[in-house]
Amino acid sequence: MIQKLKDELNNLIASCKIIIGESIPHPHYWSNRLYDLVARGCFVIHEYVEGIENDFDLINELPTYKNKEELNNLIELYYFMIIKGTCLLCT
């Protein structure tokens, strides 16, 4: 039963095109859910937090944004790439 729920959660998360992550404004703090999402194959765009680059590759693994304009630009870019099938991060 528990394994079935885990499998269903994995499938649900992996089926999302883009998940937007945000954090409280505090250096070197972000939710441990971020690791779970990335490990389950989810494509996440996360708010930049000082120090996050020590745990994630911000070019090849976890794009980040610092304001709404950057977030909108990243969503448009990656969504277009997903539609075209050219996003290597989004698989």
Side-chain angles (χ1 to χ4, degrees):
M1 172 82 168
I2 291 177
Q3 186 59 46
K4 183 180 179 195
L5 292 174
K6 287 180 181 180
D7 291 343
E8 289 175 2
L9 179 60
N10 287 342
N11 291 337
L12 175 65
I13 289 171
S15 73
C16 296
K17 299 295 183 201
I18 299 174
I19 291 184
I20 308 302
E22 60 182 1
S23 190
I24 61 170
H26 191 279
H28 303 278
Y29 175 82
W30 48 90
S31 171
N32 63 347
R33 287 185 219 113
L34 183 55
Y35 299 97
D36 291 338
L37 291 171
V38 172
R40 291 174 186 217
C42 180
F43 178 65
V44 181
I45 298 174
H46 199 277
E47 181 177 16
Y48 178 79
V49 179
E50 181 184 332
I52 201 166
E53 65 277 0
N54 296 327
D55 284 8
F56 295 95
D57 179 342
L58 303 187
I59 301 297
N60 298 307
E61 190 175 33
L62 183 71
T64 59
Y65 64 93
K66 293 182 180 176
N67 55 51
K68 284 184 180 181
E69 183 179 350
E70 285 184 10
L71 174 59
N72 288 336
N73 290 339
L74 287 171
I75 290 170
E76 286 180 18
L77 170 69
Y78 284 105
Y79 190 73
F80 178 76
M81 291 169 68
I82 289 167
I83 297 300
K84 291 288 193 181
T86 59
C87 183
L88 299 177
L89 294 176
C90 310
T91 58

